[in-house]
Amino acid sequence: MGFAEFQEAAHEAKKIAFSFSSPLIVHHYDADGLSSGAIVKSAFLGRPHRMWGIKKLDDAAMEKLMNEREIIFVDLGNNERVRELKDVLIIDHHQVKETGKPQINPMMHGIDGGSELSSSGTAYFVFGKNADLGLVGALGDMQYPLTGANKTMCEQGIASGEIRKEIDLRFYGRFSRPLAQFLAYSEEPPVPGIAYSEERAQKLLEDLGIEPRKGEEWRVYADLDLDEKRKLISAIAELISRKRRVEGLVGEVYDLPKRPRRSALYDAHEFSTVLNACGRHGKPELGIAVCLGDEAAYLEASSFLALHKRMIREGVLFARASMSDLGPFLFLDARGIIDEGIIGVVCGMVLQGAQKPIIGIAHGEGDIKVSSRTGRRTGINLGNVMNVAAGKVGGIGGGHSVAAGASVPTDKVNEFLIEAKVVIEMEMAIRQKAKD
Ligand code: C5P
C-alpha cells in the first residue's frame, strides 16, 4: 500500500488504455470529470476515440453502453452492471465497488480519493501529462489544501512550468475581473460594507489611492504591486473583522502560466468554475474543448459562466434565508427554486464554517436530487450517509466523506431524511465513543 504501489498500478493502467484500439471515454460532467476526461482525451490525440460526458452512471446510461467494445470510465464506474461490459478500464477516485474490471483508483492503495487525489490527479499519474488540469479537477472537488499525492502532482506541475504557486488573496477573479467587481462580488467571503456594490468598492479603492485603470484598460488584482496588494488586503481584513473572524482570506493560490493571461483559465480555481458551468449546464463537450485550449470554446463557455455565477448567487441568497436546522444537520429544501445541477455548489458555499453537515434537495429528472456537504472537522462520512439512507428508500447515493449526493424517489423525501438523521447520529456516536 502506498504511493509507489499506486504509481505502478497507474503504469499498468496506461498500458491497458493504449491496448484499446478505439475506446469510448465516458466521463463525469463536473469539473473533476471534465478535467480528467480531457487528460485522457489529450493522451489519445491522434488515436481513434470518442467522448461522452454524463451526469450519472445509472441504468439508462448503462443500457446505451451495452454494445460498446472498449470503454474507459473516468470519474465514474460504480455500477454493478459494469461487469456485463466487454473491455473496460476505470479511472476513478470514489469508494471502490468490485466490478471484476481493471481499475486505477487511489483508494485501492491507501490514498484518500476524497481529499488527497481526485480523478484528474489519477489520470495525470496514469498518462504523465497536464498537471495543470490535474490541479483544476482537485480544486473543483474541494481538495484544498493540497496534501499527499495532490501536493506531489502540484510540485511536478511547478517543475514543468504548468503551475505557479503563490500565497495571496483567495478571491475569485485575480486575473479576470476589474478591481471593483473583484471586490464587490467576492463570495469567499463577501466583504461587509462593499459586498454587491461596485460603487462602494470603487470608493474603497479611491480611499486607498489604488488606481482602478491603467490608461484605457481596467486593472485586475494581479496587476497591483506588492504595496498596493498589502494595503488592499489589510483594508479587507479590517472590514471583515468588524463582523467576524478573518479566516482563509489569504492562502495558497495557483496560476496556470500556460493558459491565457487575463482569462478565468489563468487561475486554477476559476478554471474549475468555468468547467462546472459548462458541465452543469449540459455542455460537457465545451468544457473538454476549453481544457484542450480551444479559444472559441472559451468564449462560449464565458456566457455559461456568467449564467452559472448568477444562478449560484441567487441560490446562495435563497439558501441563507431559508435553511433550517434539523438537529444533526442543516436542511435546504430548494425544490423548484435551485437547479439540480448547482444545488451541491450552493450547499458548499453556504456551509462555510458550519459545525454540522448540510443536506439540500432539488427536483431531479423524475426523482429528487440530494446534495450534501460537510467540513472535514465533523468527521462524518457523507458518502456512507447518502449510500445507506438512499438505499433504504429505494434510491442510490454515494460520494466522498465531505461531498456526496443521492437520487431518491419523489415520495420518499421524508423517509430519506429520517434515515440520514439515523446514520449521521450513529456516526457521531461512534466518533464520540472513540474520543472518550
Ligand atoms: O452532485 P453533487 O455535487 O452533490 O455530488 C457530490 C459527490 O457525490 C460527487 O462526487 C458525486 O459523484 C457523488 N454522487 C454519487 N451518487 C449520487 C450523487 C452524487 O456518488 N447519486
Side-chain angles (χ1 to χ4, degrees):
M1 293 287 258
F3 188 64
E5 188 196 276
F6 167 72
Q7 276 186 306
E8 250 171 62
H11 188 66
E12 282 309 306
K14 183 178 179 181
K15 279 196 207 154
I16 296 171
F18 285 154
S19 73
F20 292 170
S21 56
S22 177
L24 176 66
I25 298 162
V26 183
H27 59 91
H28 195 216
Y29 77 141
D30 68 1
D32 186 36
L34 292 173
S35 40
S36 47
I39 293 174
V40 183
K41 183 176 176 67
S42 89
F44 269 84
L45 286 181
R47 296 169 188 250
H49 67 277
R50 286 166 297 138
M51 305 291 292
W52 191 32
I54 59 174
K55 202 181 282 186
K56 54 186 171 187
L57 191 57
D58 55 10
D59 288 344
M62 286 306 300
E63 219 43 65
K64 291 192 182 143
L65 294 173
M66 280 302 155
N67 291 324
E68 291 291 334
R69 297 193 62 79
E70 297 167 337
I71 301 176
I72 302 180
F73 285 110
V74 189
D75 197 27
L76 294 164
N78 260 344
N79 186 309
E80 288 292 335
R81 294 188 62 201
V82 165
R83 64 176 69 249
E84 297 168 34
L85 297 167
K86 295 191 183 75
D87 289 336
V88 166
L89 170 67
I90 300 171
I91 300 176
D92 196 12
H93 69 131
H94 291 97
Q95 269 144 19
V96 182
K97 203 173 263 178
E98 192 39 63
T99 57
K101 301 291 182 189
Q103 168 158 193
I104 173 77
N105 186 328
M107 295 291 232
M108 295 159 81
H109 307 280
I111 299 168
D112 181 10
S115 63
E116 282 180 282
L117 200 67
S118 67
S119 286
S120 58
T122 308
Y124 164 73
F125 283 113
V126 171
F127 296 105
K129 57 195 301 187
N130 303 111
D132 57 350
L133 293 178
L135 179 62
V136 167
L139 297 179
D141 256 6
M142 295 167 60
Q143 298 197 346
Y144 181 92
L146 303 183
T147 55
N150 268 332
K151 218 170 169 175
T152 306
M153 170 176 69
C154 182
E155 275 153 18
Q156 292 179 0
I158 292 170
S160 69
E162 288 168 281
I163 299 172
R164 195 171 53 217
K165 182 172 82 176
E166 286 176 280
I167 303 294
D168 209 336
L169 194 58
R170 293 183 55 228
F171 277 18
Y172 190 94
R174 290 181 304 127
F175 288 90
S176 60
R177 278 186 171 169
L179 275 171
Q181 288 182 15
F182 172 78
L183 294 172
Y185 300 120
S186 159
E187 304 273 359
E188 308 140 24
V191 185
I194 57 173
Y196 307 115
S197 167
E198 287 183 44
E199 257 174 44
R200 286 200 295 266
Q202 190 75 40
K203 174 81 174 49
L204 175 71
L205 292 169
E206 265 170 41
D207 292 348
L208 296 173
I210 297 174
E211 286 295 332
R213 281 173 179 274
K214 187 175 183 198
E216 285 296 288
E217 218 173 38
W218 289 109
R219 293 174 85 202
V220 295
Y221 176 77
D223 295 331
L224 303 186
D225 64 34
L226 208 56
D227 204 41
E228 290 173 312
K229 281 186 180 178
R230 277 203 196 110
K231 261 197 286 191
L232 189 58
I233 293 173
S234 313
I236 295 169
E238 162 74 19
L239 286 170
I240 293 175
S241 65
R242 284 184 205 158
K243 295 265 177 198
R244 56 179 164 136
R245 267 189 322 140
V246 183
E247 214 176 87
L249 197 61
V250 168
E252 279 189 10
V253 292
Y254 311 96
D255 307 343
L256 307 180
K258 300 210 165 153
R259 304 281 169 174
R261 213 181 143 87
R262 293 182 90 91
S263 83
L265 308 181
Y266 202 82
D267 175 288
H269 183 226
E270 286 181 54
F271 197 142
S272 74
T273 311
V274 175
L275 296 185
N276 269 326
C278 294
R280 306 224 178 222
H281 295 283
K283 293 276 181 186
E285 64 294 339
L286 195 62
I288 296 280
V290 168
C291 288
L292 296 177
D294 181 330
E295 283 175 25
Y298 174 63
L299 286 182
E300 196 184 338
S302 301
S303 62
F304 284 103
L305 180 64
L307 171 70
H308 186 66
K309 294 206 75 92
R310 196 179 68 233
M311 285 169 65
I312 290 175
R313 200 153 49 234
E314 287 167 5
V316 166
L317 290 176
F318 171 78
R320 288 210 179 106
S322 54
M323 255 183 329
S324 50
D325 190 334
L326 295 193
F329 59 87
L330 301 170
F331 176 58
L332 172 63
D333 183 355
R335 283 175 289 186
I337 311 270
I338 298 179
D339 191 88
E340 61 161 328
I342 61 160
I343 180 76
V345 181
V346 171
C347 284
M349 293 190 80
V350 292
L351 182 71
Q352 284 173 12
Q355 304 299 315
K356 43 177 99 171
I358 179 167
I359 297 181
I361 61 170
H363 282 309
E365 285 160 13
D367 53 16
I368 294 295
K369 164 78 177 95
V370 184
S371 269
S372 58
R373 300 287 187 271
T374 188
R376 284 187 209 290
R377 263 176 289 174
T378 63
I380 294 166
N381 181 347
L382 286 176
N384 181 46
V385 174
M386 292 294 116
N387 182 260
V388 174
K392 286 257 170 81
V393 302
I396 53 164
H400 310 288
S401 42
V402 291
S407 296
V408 298
T410 310
D411 57 348
K412 292 283 166 60
V413 171
N414 288 351
E415 275 174 60
F416 169 79
L417 292 174
I418 293 166
E419 294 296 346
K421 180 171 179 285
V422 171
V423 189
I424 291 177
E425 282 175 342
M426 214 154 64
E427 289 210 3
M428 280 163 43
I430 293 169
R431 193 171 143 83
Q432 191 54 43
K433 216 167 175 187
K435 265 193 200 162
D436 293 345

Tab-separated table of all heavy atoms in Angstrom, residues 28-30 32 55-56 75-76 78 93-94 141 280 340-341 343-345 347 369-373 383 386 390 395-400 402-407, ligand 1:
chain	number	residue	atom	x	y	z
A	28	HIS	N	-17.498	11.914	-16.140
A	28	HIS	CA	-18.484	12.661	-15.355
A	28	HIS	C	-18.510	14.105	-15.841
A	28	HIS	O	-17.582	14.578	-16.488
A	28	HIS	CB	-18.100	12.574	-13.868
A	28	HIS	CG	-19.197	12.991	-12.954
A	28	HIS	ND1	-18.969	13.661	-11.781
A	28	HIS	CD2	-20.534	12.841	-13.038
A	28	HIS	CE1	-20.115	13.890	-11.171
A	28	HIS	NE2	-21.084	13.407	-11.918
A	29	TYR	N	-19.591	14.848	-15.523
A	29	TYR	CA	-19.786	16.189	-16.097
A	29	TYR	C	-19.357	17.340	-15.195
A	29	TYR	O	-19.519	18.489	-15.562
A	29	TYR	CB	-21.240	16.361	-16.525
A	29	TYR	CG	-22.208	16.634	-15.369
A	29	TYR	CD1	-23.253	17.529	-15.510
A	29	TYR	CD2	-22.082	15.998	-14.147
A	29	TYR	CE1	-24.143	17.794	-14.474
A	29	TYR	CE2	-22.957	16.240	-13.106
A	29	TYR	CZ	-23.978	17.140	-13.268
A	29	TYR	OH	-24.833	17.393	-12.236
A	30	ASP	N	-18.805	17.045	-14.011
A	30	ASP	CA	-18.374	18.163	-13.160
A	30	ASP	C	-16.914	18.530	-13.474
A	30	ASP	O	-16.294	17.952	-14.378
A	30	ASP	CB	-18.594	17.847	-11.670
A	30	ASP	CG	-17.683	16.743	-11.161
A	30	ASP	OD1	-16.856	16.225	-11.945
A	30	ASP	OD2	-17.783	16.388	-9.972
A	32	ASP	N	-14.090	17.986	-12.040
A	32	ASP	CA	-13.106	16.896	-11.961
A	32	ASP	C	-13.299	15.923	-13.130
A	32	ASP	O	-12.328	15.474	-13.737
A	32	ASP	CB	-13.248	16.177	-10.613
A	32	ASP	CG	-12.170	15.128	-10.406
A	32	ASP	OD1	-11.029	15.370	-10.841
A	32	ASP	OD2	-12.472	14.063	-9.826
A	55	LYS	N	-24.070	12.789	-16.433
A	55	LYS	CA	-24.351	13.241	-15.079
A	55	LYS	C	-24.174	12.096	-14.085
A	55	LYS	O	-23.626	12.247	-13.016
A	55	LYS	CB	-25.805	13.720	-15.062
A	55	LYS	CG	-26.134	14.669	-13.973
A	55	LYS	CD	-27.592	15.073	-14.030
A	55	LYS	CE	-27.859	16.105	-15.102
A	55	LYS	NZ	-29.249	16.602	-15.050
A	56	LYS	N	-24.707	10.928	-14.435
A	56	LYS	CA	-24.533	9.779	-13.543
A	56	LYS	C	-24.567	8.479	-14.341
A	56	LYS	O	-25.165	8.424	-15.422
A	56	LYS	CB	-25.577	9.769	-12.426
A	56	LYS	CG	-27.009	9.850	-12.890
A	56	LYS	CD	-27.961	9.978	-11.704
A	56	LYS	CE	-29.369	10.272	-12.212
A	56	LYS	NZ	-30.342	10.573	-11.204
A	75	ASP	N	-13.818	9.124	-13.628
A	75	ASP	CA	-14.566	9.750	-12.532
A	75	ASP	C	-15.940	9.094	-12.373
A	75	ASP	O	-16.862	9.707	-11.854
A	75	ASP	CB	-14.695	11.273	-12.781
A	75	ASP	CG	-15.072	12.047	-11.514
A	75	ASP	OD1	-14.748	11.574	-10.416
A	75	ASP	OD2	-15.699	13.115	-11.639
A	76	LEU	N	-16.053	7.886	-12.851
A	76	LEU	CA	-17.299	7.102	-12.814
A	76	LEU	C	-16.899	5.623	-12.779
A	76	LEU	O	-15.739	5.303	-12.963
A	76	LEU	CB	-18.086	7.282	-14.112
A	76	LEU	CG	-18.692	8.620	-14.507
A	76	LEU	CD1	-19.054	8.576	-15.976
A	76	LEU	CD2	-19.914	8.924	-13.666
A	78	ASN	N	-18.961	3.190	-10.798
A	78	ASN	CA	-19.601	2.479	-9.697
A	78	ASN	C	-20.987	1.973	-10.033
A	78	ASN	O	-21.970	2.399	-9.453
A	78	ASN	CB	-19.733	3.445	-8.517
A	78	ASN	CG	-18.651	3.197	-7.508
A	78	ASN	OD1	-18.013	2.148	-7.542
A	78	ASN	ND2	-18.442	4.148	-6.626
A	93	HIS	N	-11.842	7.814	-8.359
A	93	HIS	CA	-11.329	8.083	-7.006
A	93	HIS	C	-12.437	7.928	-5.965
A	93	HIS	O	-12.249	8.284	-4.811
A	93	HIS	CB	-10.739	9.497	-6.934
A	93	HIS	CG	-11.760	10.588	-7.034
A	93	HIS	ND1	-11.818	11.648	-6.163
A	93	HIS	CD2	-12.788	10.778	-7.903
A	93	HIS	CE1	-12.825	12.452	-6.511
A	93	HIS	NE2	-13.420	11.942	-7.560
A	94	HIS	N	-13.626	7.459	-6.386
A	94	HIS	CA	-14.713	7.239	-5.425
A	94	HIS	C	-14.488	5.919	-4.688
A	94	HIS	O	-13.591	5.146	-5.038
A	94	HIS	CB	-16.053	7.192	-6.169
A	94	HIS	CG	-16.448	8.516	-6.740
A	94	HIS	ND1	-16.223	8.873	-8.047
A	94	HIS	CD2	-17.045	9.584	-6.166
A	94	HIS	CE1	-16.674	10.090	-8.263
A	94	HIS	NE2	-17.178	10.555	-7.138
A	141	ASP	N	-13.117	19.611	-6.863
A	141	ASP	CA	-13.676	18.637	-5.921
A	141	ASP	C	-13.370	19.026	-4.465
A	141	ASP	O	-13.374	18.158	-3.588
A	141	ASP	CB	-13.110	17.238	-6.210
A	141	ASP	CG	-14.136	16.378	-6.928
A	141	ASP	OD1	-15.209	16.895	-7.289
A	141	ASP	OD2	-13.876	15.167	-7.126
A	280	ARG	N	-22.467	21.528	-15.804
A	280	ARG	CA	-23.744	21.556	-15.083
A	280	ARG	C	-24.835	22.252	-15.880
A	280	ARG	O	-25.990	22.219	-15.506
A	280	ARG	CB	-23.558	22.187	-13.703
A	280	ARG	CG	-22.449	21.474	-12.919
A	280	ARG	CD	-22.825	21.225	-11.491
A	280	ARG	NE	-21.755	20.499	-10.821
A	280	ARG	CZ	-21.957	19.496	-9.988
A	280	ARG	NH1	-23.162	19.083	-9.713
A	280	ARG	NH2	-20.949	18.889	-9.405
A	340	GLU	N	-31.017	21.408	-10.080
A	340	GLU	CA	-30.305	20.238	-9.533
A	340	GLU	C	-28.807	20.253	-9.862
A	340	GLU	O	-27.990	19.711	-9.135
A	340	GLU	CB	-30.922	18.925	-10.031
A	340	GLU	CG	-30.865	18.754	-11.527
A	340	GLU	CD	-31.047	17.305	-11.962
A	340	GLU	OE1	-30.635	16.388	-11.240
A	340	GLU	OE2	-31.588	17.095	-13.051
A	341	GLY	N	-28.450	20.915	-10.972
A	341	GLY	CA	-27.047	20.969	-11.377
A	341	GLY	C	-26.170	21.798	-10.456
A	341	GLY	O	-24.948	21.635	-10.445
A	343	ILE	N	-27.204	22.599	-6.998
A	343	ILE	CA	-27.580	22.506	-5.580
A	343	ILE	C	-26.353	22.159	-4.708
A	343	ILE	O	-26.184	22.696	-3.608
A	343	ILE	CB	-28.749	21.493	-5.363
A	343	ILE	CG1	-29.150	21.389	-3.888
A	343	ILE	CG2	-28.467	20.125	-5.908
A	343	ILE	CD1	-29.942	22.528	-3.377
A	344	GLY	N	-25.479	21.291	-5.245
A	344	GLY	CA	-24.277	20.903	-4.489
A	344	GLY	C	-23.340	22.083	-4.289
A	344	GLY	O	-22.781	22.279	-3.202
A	345	VAL	N	-23.164	22.883	-5.331
A	345	VAL	CA	-22.271	24.044	-5.246
A	345	VAL	C	-22.819	25.024	-4.200
A	345	VAL	O	-22.080	25.543	-3.353
A	345	VAL	CB	-22.165	24.751	-6.621
A	345	VAL	CG1	-21.231	25.937	-6.540
A	345	VAL	CG2	-21.697	23.783	-7.689
A	347	CYS	N	-24.841	24.375	-1.669
A	347	CYS	CA	-24.670	23.806	-0.316
A	347	CYS	C	-23.248	24.037	0.185
A	347	CYS	O	-23.039	24.417	1.341
A	347	CYS	CB	-24.956	22.296	-0.325
A	347	CYS	SG	-26.704	21.917	-0.406
A	369	LYS	N	-33.099	15.123	-6.384
A	369	LYS	CA	-31.631	15.162	-6.329
A	369	LYS	C	-31.221	15.671	-4.962
A	369	LYS	O	-31.685	16.730	-4.508
A	369	LYS	CB	-31.118	16.105	-7.427
A	369	LYS	CG	-29.679	16.548	-7.264
A	369	LYS	CD	-28.734	15.449	-7.705
A	369	LYS	CE	-27.279	15.862	-7.637
A	369	LYS	NZ	-26.546	15.529	-6.481
A	370	VAL	N	-30.377	14.897	-4.282
A	370	VAL	CA	-29.883	15.295	-2.958
A	370	VAL	C	-28.399	15.638	-3.065
A	370	VAL	O	-27.650	14.919	-3.745
A	370	VAL	CB	-30.027	14.137	-1.940
A	370	VAL	CG1	-29.607	14.594	-0.544
A	370	VAL	CG2	-31.446	13.591	-1.930
A	371	SER	N	-27.988	16.710	-2.439
A	371	SER	CA	-26.556	17.031	-2.347
A	371	SER	C	-26.232	17.308	-0.895
A	371	SER	O	-27.022	17.961	-0.207
A	371	SER	CB	-26.225	18.296	-3.144
A	371	SER	OG	-25.876	17.971	-4.452
A	372	SER	N	-25.089	16.829	-0.457
A	372	SER	CA	-24.718	17.109	0.938
A	372	SER	C	-23.242	17.497	1.008
A	372	SER	O	-22.431	17.037	0.204
A	372	SER	CB	-24.990	15.876	1.800
A	372	SER	OG	-24.278	14.780	1.293
A	373	ARG	N	-22.934	18.361	1.951
A	373	ARG	CA	-21.556	18.821	2.140
A	373	ARG	C	-21.288	18.956	3.630
A	373	ARG	O	-22.175	19.290	4.408
A	373	ARG	CB	-21.343	20.210	1.510
A	373	ARG	CG	-21.588	20.289	0.005
A	373	ARG	CD	-20.479	19.601	-0.790
A	373	ARG	NE	-20.602	19.790	-2.220
A	373	ARG	CZ	-21.297	18.990	-3.043
A	373	ARG	NH1	-21.953	17.944	-2.558
A	373	ARG	NH2	-21.318	19.228	-4.328
A	383	GLY	N	-20.548	10.208	2.200
A	383	GLY	CA	-20.688	9.196	1.137
A	383	GLY	C	-21.447	7.994	1.690
A	383	GLY	O	-22.373	7.460	1.074
A	386	MET	N	-25.203	9.007	2.517
A	386	MET	CA	-26.048	9.058	1.320
A	386	MET	C	-26.314	7.650	0.786
A	386	MET	O	-27.425	7.319	0.382
A	386	MET	CB	-25.359	9.892	0.218
A	386	MET	CG	-25.255	11.366	0.532
A	386	MET	SD	-26.858	12.183	0.596
A	386	MET	CE	-26.913	12.694	2.290
A	390	ALA	N	-30.155	6.492	1.145
A	390	ALA	CA	-30.835	6.389	-0.158
A	390	ALA	C	-31.201	4.930	-0.432
A	390	ALA	O	-32.305	4.627	-0.899
A	390	ALA	CB	-29.951	6.943	-1.269
A	395	GLY	N	-33.484	4.482	-3.378
A	395	GLY	CA	-32.714	5.381	-4.233
A	395	GLY	C	-31.268	4.928	-4.327
A	395	GLY	O	-30.921	3.839	-3.852
A	396	ILE	N	-30.402	5.768	-4.959
A	396	ILE	CA	-28.972	5.457	-4.940
A	396	ILE	C	-28.201	6.694	-4.492
A	396	ILE	O	-28.584	7.816	-4.778
A	396	ILE	CB	-28.404	4.985	-6.310
A	396	ILE	CG1	-28.738	5.978	-7.420
A	396	ILE	CG2	-28.848	3.595	-6.652
A	396	ILE	CD1	-27.887	5.779	-8.668
A	397	GLY	N	-27.113	6.434	-3.781
A	397	GLY	CA	-26.325	7.567	-3.318
A	397	GLY	C	-24.904	7.158	-3.054
A	397	GLY	O	-24.572	5.968	-3.005
A	398	GLY	N	-24.030	8.131	-2.902
A	398	GLY	CA	-22.630	7.845	-2.612
A	398	GLY	C	-21.826	9.117	-2.706
A	398	GLY	O	-22.377	10.207	-2.681
A	399	GLY	N	-20.507	8.954	-2.843
A	399	GLY	CA	-19.630	10.114	-2.957
A	399	GLY	C	-18.531	10.052	-1.923
A	399	GLY	O	-18.130	8.970	-1.488
A	400	HIS	N	-18.064	11.217	-1.509
A	400	HIS	CA	-16.930	11.300	-0.595
A	400	HIS	C	-17.396	11.668	0.808
A	400	HIS	O	-18.547	12.020	1.008
A	400	HIS	CB	-15.956	12.364	-1.077
A	400	HIS	CG	-15.616	12.199	-2.510
A	400	HIS	ND1	-14.813	11.190	-2.970
A	400	HIS	CD2	-16.018	12.892	-3.595
A	400	HIS	CE1	-14.717	11.276	-4.269
A	400	HIS	NE2	-15.446	12.295	-4.686
A	402	VAL	N	-16.727	14.378	2.492
A	402	VAL	CA	-17.120	15.788	2.645
A	402	VAL	C	-18.104	16.277	1.587
A	402	VAL	O	-18.694	17.346	1.739
A	402	VAL	CB	-15.886	16.722	2.628
A	402	VAL	CG1	-15.047	16.523	3.866
A	402	VAL	CG2	-15.068	16.554	1.366
A	403	ALA	N	-18.288	15.527	0.497
A	403	ALA	CA	-19.201	15.944	-0.578
A	403	ALA	C	-19.829	14.697	-1.162
A	403	ALA	O	-19.141	13.851	-1.717
A	403	ALA	CB	-18.435	16.697	-1.665
A	404	ALA	N	-21.146	14.574	-1.009
A	404	ALA	CA	-21.797	13.364	-1.508
A	404	ALA	C	-23.187	13.714	-1.996
A	404	ALA	O	-23.688	14.818	-1.767
A	404	ALA	CB	-21.862	12.312	-0.400
A	405	GLY	N	-23.812	12.787	-2.692
A	405	GLY	CA	-25.131	13.073	-3.236
A	405	GLY	C	-25.955	11.807	-3.374
A	405	GLY	O	-25.479	10.689	-3.124
A	406	ALA	N	-27.197	11.975	-3.774
A	406	ALA	CA	-28.090	10.832	-3.951
A	406	ALA	C	-29.245	11.222	-4.859
A	406	ALA	O	-29.499	12.400	-5.089
A	406	ALA	CB	-28.630	10.375	-2.597
A	407	SER	N	-29.912	10.187	-5.386
A	407	SER	CA	-31.191	10.388	-6.067
A	407	SER	C	-32.189	9.530	-5.330
A	407	SER	O	-31.930	8.341	-5.088
A	407	SER	CB	-31.108	9.903	-7.516
A	407	SER	OG	-30.184	10.680	-8.218
B	1	C5P	O1	-23.950	16.155	-7.207
B	1	C5P	P1	-23.052	16.520	-6.089
B	1	C5P	O2	-22.065	17.593	-6.477
B	1	C5P	O3	-23.746	16.829	-4.830
B	1	C5P	O4	-22.198	15.192	-5.813
B	1	C5P	C1	-21.177	15.121	-4.820
B	1	C5P	C2	-20.409	13.820	-4.977
B	1	C5P	O5	-21.295	12.721	-4.733
B	1	C5P	C3	-19.812	13.601	-6.366
B	1	C5P	O6	-18.513	13.059	-6.208
B	1	C5P	C4	-20.747	12.586	-6.998
B	1	C5P	O7	-20.076	11.770	-7.901
B	1	C5P	C5	-21.227	11.786	-5.786
B	1	C5P	N1	-22.571	11.215	-6.021
B	1	C5P	C6	-22.760	9.823	-6.026
B	1	C5P	N2	-24.002	9.294	-6.242
B	1	C5P	C7	-25.075	10.113	-6.483
B	1	C5P	C8	-24.905	11.515	-6.477
B	1	C5P	C9	-23.620	12.049	-6.251
B	1	C5P	O8	-21.788	9.087	-5.835
B	1	C5P	N3	-26.285	9.559	-6.718
